[in-house]
Amino acid sequence: MKNTVLLLAAALLTTPAFAQNLGQAERLRDEALNDDVAYDIVEGLTTEVGPRPGGSDAERRAREWAVRKLKSLGFRNVHIEPSKMQVWERGAETAEIIAPFPQRLVVAALGRSGATPAGGLSGQVVGFDSLDALKAAPDSAVRGKIVFVSHAMKPAQDGSGYGYYGAVRRSAPSIAAQKGASAIVIRSLGTDYHRNPHTGTQSVAEGVTPIPAAALSIPDAEQLQRILKRGKPVTMRLTLTPRLLGERPSGNVVAEVPGTDPKAGIILVGGHLDSWDLGTGAIDDASGVAITAAAAKRVMDSGRPRRTIRVIWFGDEETGGTGSKAYFDAHSREKVVFVAESDFGADRVWRVDTNFAPANKPLADRIAAALFPLGIPHKEGEVEAGADLGAWVKAGSPGADLQQDGIRYFDYHHTPDDTLDKVDPEQLRQNVAAWTAMLALVANAPEEIQRKTPAP
Amino acid sequence: MKNTVLLLAAALLTTPAFAQNLGQAERLRDEALNDDVAYDIVEGLTTEVGPRPGGSDAERRAREWAVRKLKSLGFRNVHIEPSKMQVWERGAETAEIIAPFPQRLVVAALGRSGATPAGGLSGQVVGFDSLDALKAAPDSAVRGKIVFVSHAMKPAQDGSGYGYYGAVRRSAPSIAAQKGASAIVIRSLGTDYHRNPHTGTQSVAEGVTPIPAAALSIPDAEQLQRILKRGKPVTMRLTLTPRLLGERPSGNVVAEVPGTDPKAGIILVGGHLDSWDLGTGAIDDASGVAITAAAAKRVMDSGRPRRTIRVIWFGDEETGGTGSKAYFDAHSREKVVFVAESDFGADRVWRVDTNFAPANKPLADRIAAALFPLGIPHKEGEVEAGADLGAWVKAGSPGADLQQDGIRYFDYHHTPDDTLDKVDPEQLRQNVAAWTAMLALVANAPEEIQRKTPAP
């Protein structure tokens, strides 16, 4: 490791313009360790707007709040780019075991869940320990019943459990519907032991009419497993009354740090402004919009950068991604040379991944050198950039993933518990420092930044 | 410390009967470290009955479950002693900020709360940082408003924060009512950061008609504080529809380990069978009934003891204590020479307090010697014995408090989060081992156990 750092340092010192670029980034990085702009944004958005589901009046208020905030921070060209979306709205939601051991269970409907009658529906519960077990079951074992699917998601630093176990939430409702189930409850896709269910969207398969679908909190899911294990028939009454509201307005909020050199290309960063309805969306994703804006402001306040930085706070990430689609459709012909998204809470960054063209290795090396002192090693390779900016990476823009610690993220994700108190101000500042250093380096890089493929 | 232990050991060895008494207790203690009876009781009661509020049909099912379980464990004279109680039942409960920042807050009604109209009531919120601040406020500042009282309860190993901060829950509703408030919401009496409100009873002051009174979860209480701090008038709509159901049956479940020597006096141990309605009452107090029964069973299974041990699982501890009152009224003329209660969760015992008469110092010394190896020091002095058996201590029975670690108890207490997963089987076993050793020593003590005052 020591040798690597020395070699990096040697390489960097050979070019005065690179050394200057790195020096500025290091200075801004250290100042950012005292940042209070990001926390102020998280506190303000979660307090003064609170939950802000896509397409709701609260999301509209969030856009208005965002415009005021970004203007007050000194950004230029602050504006809303409107879009439209189909809105699903949560209703009443209760579940109770009727027999053999009467008691209430805590549930939350999954996005796009169908509705039960207002008085609920009752049925026998048939349990499966995994999605594969449900898939393997004959239709006759499921028809007319309430399906319960369990699993055992465990915390992972890189958050990869969400992909691995996520199919239970995304696919099981349609599979159960295709087999003739009357409804489905799943163990929440989460890693905590609190009675806060984790909501989230499902993928509605072609030709399927969504059945009532809900997540049980993890203590409730384990309770239902224990009850089923007793071997007696288990009857549940489930009441879910969500509604489809049709098309409603959503939109993205955009702010700029104008650059001096339009030919050098544009940088896109951001997160999403909408949140699920149960919590106040502090970690998902007030933190992400706050981190990216706070970092961009620090670069802006140090003098006009070479490249324009565009901060985008996307609408409707959670239920359909219509905001990111609308933005890509409207802007995909612009010369975007770098993208990065923050949408994994406020806990510390543990690695930075970049995917520059080989010619830009010196820039990647400078990013590595600037982030090492924050405890962030660098890896050159694949970049995803997440739900809102991933399309740009696929279209050939280089980018970066500042990988955040995901150990406790799925304790709170999509639950009522996603609230301000879950944000650790110290770790939030480490994020801002990392983002500031990276943005300063990329925005002011003296060399050209090559796209992976030519701009359209 | 070493010297103390050596001195104790020397004193104990002087009397063969005492040494035999201690030897048996030590053997049973060590066997109890592998106990699975207690966990089985907690698992069964919380799964097969679940929440069991006093006076409800679920409490009746809990009594029937308890009789079956205690008989199956081999106890004698297992029976129910019926009592009656006034029942308050929770209804719908919602709270939302109407202005200036519309959003829902999570609340739970406090026991004996009054009801709002079915559609709720709206009012301006007036906030106080403490009960004293509310007391000091002129009636004109409160009249017609929704009072909010905050505080900052912190975890304490001995649980003493509950007494200190508890007045906010117990007294504030009546004080607000007397000042003309339309309703009151308090910061939950708890130490967690989850959106699970802590319910509990209030003391209704003489002549006061209860107003609607609820606890906000701690994240919601801090959210309301932040909203109030913005300085704009805050309007809340609160809906609480609890009902008074009148007099309903409750009862205590009693089981005995019959002793050989009726003149040597009776030992009473136990906890409470009822629970609050929001959780499954795993730590409050399935653990307590489980620990005391498992320990008594271990003594029973090692041979008939000298003194009768009575295990009592009380009804209605949470809302009125009618079970313990009924039991004391019916049995207070019996010769009870030792009482101990377990009602503080399942976490480890960190100290044993006893209050024997001076003549029984050798018994106290043996308890100290048997519990030291479990990491439990001894203190001679005051004993409370809790809500269910405290009356016996006041009436002159000696007893013991096996003090449990309360650091996380008020994270879950009276919330939906009081569920089986909060019980640590290892710590539960340490409790059973300590209780087993103590019960073996007291039940088989060869000396007479003196009451603090003569039996009635």
Side-chain angles (χ1 to χ4, degrees), chain B residues 61-315:
Chain B
R61 284 186 275 115
R63 287 193 293 278
E64 291 167 3
W65 186 96
V67 166
R68 285 196 305 275
K69 173 59 75 176
L70 290 162
K71 282 184 176 168
S72 78
L73 291 172
F75 288 99
R76 310 299 290 274
N77 193 20
V78 178
H79 65 282
I80 294 169
E81 301 191 10
S83 54
K84 301 237 179 206
M85 62 176 290
Q86 295 293 326
V87 175
W88 172 95
E89 188 181 64
R90 186 179 307 281
E93 36 199 27
T94 61
E96 55 183 318
I97 302 293
I98 309 269
F101 309 126
Q103 56 193 283
R104 293 184 76 153
L105 301 177
V106 179
V107 287
L110 297 178
R112 306 201 175 279
S113 165
T116 65
L121 64 77
S122 298
Q124 189 180 337
V125 178
V126 53
F128 299 97
D129 283 342
S130 66
L131 183 61
D132 285 342
L134 170 62
K135 284 180 185 167
D139 293 4
S140 59
V142 168
R143 194 172 298 124
K145 297 197 170 120
I146 298 176
V147 163
F148 166 54
V149 185
S150 192
H151 59 88
M153 182 178 174
K154 298 290 174 194
Q157 175 172 300
D158 66 358
S160 55
Y162 191 53
Y164 189 76
Y165 295 102
V168 171
R169 190 190 79 205
R170 288 185 286 268
S171 307
S174 281
I175 293 168
Q178 285 163 331
K179 288 178 183 286
S182 64
I184 179 171
V185 291
I186 65 164
R187 176 177 167 130
S188 279
L189 195 55
T191 53
D192 61 298
Y193 270 92
H194 298 288
R195 291 185 82 188
N196 292 314
H198 297 240
T199 188
T201 51
Q202 54 178 303
S203 308
V204 180
E206 187 77 25
V208 166
T209 300
I211 56 175
L216 290 163
S217 88
I218 289 160
D220 290 277
E222 294 195 352
Q223 180 82 329
L224 181 53
Q225 278 184 296
R226 283 188 293 271
I227 291 171
L228 285 165
K229 213 172 165 186
R230 260 69 175 173
K232 297 177 184 168
V234 175
T235 311
M236 177 185 284
R237 188 191 326 273
L238 184 68
T239 305
L240 303 172
T241 61
R243 293 183 306 159
L244 292 168
L245 303 182
E247 196 173 73
R248 297 281 171 101
S250 181
N252 304 314
V253 179
V254 183
E256 276 189 5
V257 181
T260 56
D261 183 354
K263 292 184 184 156
I266 298 170
I267 295 166
L268 303 183
V269 297
H272 63 88
L273 186 58
D274 68 308
S275 78
W276 270 103
D277 52 351
L278 300 173
T280 63
I283 63 165
D284 187 13
D285 182 28
S287 294
V289 301
I291 289 164
T292 50
K297 176 178 166 57
R298 287 187 168 272
V299 174
M300 174 172 71
D301 290 351
S302 73
R304 193 166 173 176
R306 184 177 172 212
R307 293 179 182 81
T308 293
I309 303 171
R310 229 178 254 163
V311 178
I312 313 166
W313 292 1
F314 290 94

Side-chain angles (χ1 to χ4, degrees), chain A residues 312-355:
Chain A
I312 313 168
W313 291 1
F314 290 93
D316 182 33
E317 189 272 346
E318 292 293 3
T319 69
T322 49
S324 60
K325 285 188 199 91
Y327 195 82
F328 185 78
D329 290 348
H331 298 272
S332 63
R333 300 193 67 81
E334 295 185 77
K335 185 184 175 186
V336 172
V337 296
F338 189 78
V339 300
E341 173 173 330
S342 180
D343 185 13
F344 201 52
D347 280 353
R348 74 182 177 89
V349 177
W350 59 274
R351 194 178 72 200
V352 54
D353 298 348
T354 58
N355 71 341

Side-chain angles (χ1 to χ4, degrees), chain A residues 361-404:
Chain A
K361 183 167 186 307
L363 176 54
D365 289 346
R366 295 201 299 284
I367 290 174
L371 268 54
F372 257 122
L374 297 171
I376 305 172
H378 170 253
K379 188 181 175 198
E380 190 66 28
E382 292 201 3
V383 161
E384 286 189 16
D388 282 319
L389 288 170
W392 298 87
V393 174
K394 289 199 182 81
S397 295
D401 289 332
L402 284 156
Q403 303 282 6
Q404 292 173 279

Side-chain angles (χ1 to χ4, degrees), chain A residues 188-208:
Chain A
S188 279
L189 195 55
T191 53
D192 61 299
Y193 271 92
H194 298 288
R195 292 186 84 187
N196 291 313
H198 296 240
T199 189
T201 52
Q202 53 178 304
S203 307
V204 180
E206 188 76 25
V208 166

Side-chain angles (χ1 to χ4, degrees), chain A residues 59-205:
Chain A
E59 200 200 27
R60 178 189 59 73
R61 284 186 274 113
R63 287 193 293 278
E64 290 168 3
W65 187 96
V67 167
R68 284 196 304 275
K69 172 59 73 175
L70 290 163
K71 282 184 177 168
S72 79
L73 291 172
F75 288 99
R76 310 299 290 272
N77 192 20
V78 178
H79 64 282
I80 294 168
E81 301 192 9
S83 54
K84 301 239 178 206
M85 62 176 289
Q86 295 293 328
V87 175
W88 171 95
E89 188 181 64
R90 187 179 306 283
E93 38 199 24
T94 62
E96 55 183 320
I97 303 294
I98 310 270
F101 309 127
Q103 56 191 282
R104 294 185 76 154
L105 301 177
V106 179
V107 288
L110 298 178
R112 305 199 176 281
S113 166
T116 66
L121 65 78
S122 298
Q124 191 182 333
V125 177
V126 53
F128 299 97
D129 283 341
S130 66
L131 182 61
D132 285 343
L134 170 63
K135 284 179 185 167
D139 292 4
S140 59
V142 168
R143 195 173 297 125
K145 298 198 168 115
I146 298 177
V147 164
F148 166 54
V149 186
S150 193
H151 59 89
M153 181 178 174
K154 297 290 173 194
Q157 176 171 303
D158 66 358
S160 54
Y162 190 55
Y164 188 76
Y165 297 101
V168 171
R169 191 190 78 206
R170 288 185 286 267
S171 307
S174 282
I175 293 168
Q178 284 164 333
K179 288 178 183 287
S182 65
I184 179 171
V185 292
I186 65 163
R187 177 177 165 131
S188 279
L189 195 55
T191 53
D192 61 299
Y193 271 92
H194 298 288
R195 292 186 84 187
N196 291 313
H198 296 240
T199 189
T201 52
Q202 53 178 304
S203 307
V204 180

